Amino acid sequence: KVRPLDRLDTVIPWDYFRKELDQLFSRVTHKYRGGRKPFDRLLMFKILVLQRYYNLSDEEMEYQLNDRLSFQSFVGLSGSGKVPDQNTIWDFRESLKEFGGVEKLFVRFDDFLEAESLLAKDGVIVDASFVEVPKQRRHVCRNYTSRSEQHTSELQSRQNHVCRLLLAKKKQRQS
């Protein structure tokens, strides 16, 4: 049986995210000046993926990285002994927010999951998993660059539609 994180590691093109992260952080002008060397950005993004889908706080994420070999292996920390602490995780996420990258990267991540017919089911540490879903009849775009440009407006359109439906249902209950 293939473990969920191993499967995820094989279907996601992580090099794409490395390039995106490098572009986002290219605006940073300060250089490393002593202290502990910064953690790899892709490793930190993978930590944010785990956090999001396992619903973990920064503190709990630090604990789970120290405790779970599967998490260490997924993010690329196997055997190193050095795990980002909760402040490092928080700083990385806030830097991504500052550069406008968090949602952009996760929209792209979800696109890659969809292209592989995977659905991310988030939850608690015990039951978070990635499950296969039936392929949809609509064509899944193989050209990821053009898909990303269209995705933002499509996502906003879907969210607006859902909001209108929920408001209509709420008004209907009130009357």
Side-chain angles (χ1 to χ4, degrees), residues 83-101:
V83 171
D85 64 18
Q86 62 187 1
N87 295 328
T88 304
I89 296 168
W90 182 87
D91 285 340
F92 180 76
R93 185 179 45 259
E94 291 303 308
S95 294
L96 268 183
K97 284 180 185 176
E98 181 181 323
F99 300 138

Side-chain angles (χ1 to χ4, degrees), residues 32 34-39:
Y32 168 69
R36 184 168 68 181
K37 186 178 176 184
F39 286 96

Side-chain angles (χ1 to χ4, degrees), residues 9-27:
D9 215 15
T10 60
V11 300
I12 299 295
W14 296 110
D15 286 341
Y16 169 83
F17 291 100
R18 181 176 301 284
K19 289 175 189 169
E20 287 293 312
L21 289 163
D22 288 345
Q23 284 179 356
L24 286 169
F25 283 91
S26 67
R27 297 180 237 167

Side-chain angles (χ1 to χ4, degrees), residues 18-158:
R18 181 176 301 284
K19 289 175 189 169
E20 287 293 312
L21 289 163
D22 288 345
Q23 284 179 356
L24 286 169
F25 283 91
S26 67
R27 297 180 237 167
V28 177
T29 55
H30 69 277
K31 300 217 177 200
Y32 168 69
R33 295 186 185 181
R36 184 168 68 181
K37 186 178 176 184
F39 286 96
D40 178 67
R41 292 177 186 136
L42 182 59
L43 176 145
M44 295 302 295
F45 177 68
K46 285 183 168 185
I47 289 173
L48 297 184
V49 168
L50 289 174
Q51 255 191 313
R52 180 169 279 195
Y53 293 109
Y54 285 94
N55 197 24
L56 299 171
S57 67
D58 295 338
E59 183 178 7
E60 185 64 22
M61 188 69 237
E62 178 185 357
Y63 172 79
Q64 293 298 334
L65 281 169
N66 280 304
D67 189 58
R68 294 176 63 114
L69 292 176
S70 61
F71 278 21
Q72 290 178 22
S73 176
F74 175 73
V75 301
L77 285 172
S78 299
S80 71
K82 296 178 182 176
V83 171
D85 64 18
Q86 62 187 1
N87 295 328
T88 304
I89 296 168
W90 182 87
D91 285 340
F92 180 76
R93 185 179 45 259
E94 291 303 308
S95 294
L96 268 183
K97 284 180 185 176
E98 181 181 323
F99 300 138
V102 174
E103 287 311 312
K104 176 185 173 188
L105 290 171
F106 274 102
V107 163
R108 172 62 68 214
F109 182 81
D110 290 340
D111 286 347
F112 285 124
L113 288 179
E114 183 181 329
E116 293 294 328
S117 298
L118 291 173
L119 172 68
K121 291 178 66 177
D122 54 335
V124 294
I125 197 73
V126 176
D127 65 6
S129 61
F130 294 88
V131 296
E132 287 198 44
V133 294
K135 287 201 183 252
Q136 296 179 0
R137 290 190 176 264
R138 68 181 180 88
H139 175 69
V140 177
C141 182
R142 294 282 182 218
N143 184 349
Y144 292 123
T145 21
S146 64
R147 179 153 170 75
S148 67
E149 295 165 4
Q150 296 169 356
H151 190 76
T152 304
S153 62
E154 289 173 10
L155 181 63
Q156 289 171 343
S157 174
R158 285 190 302 231

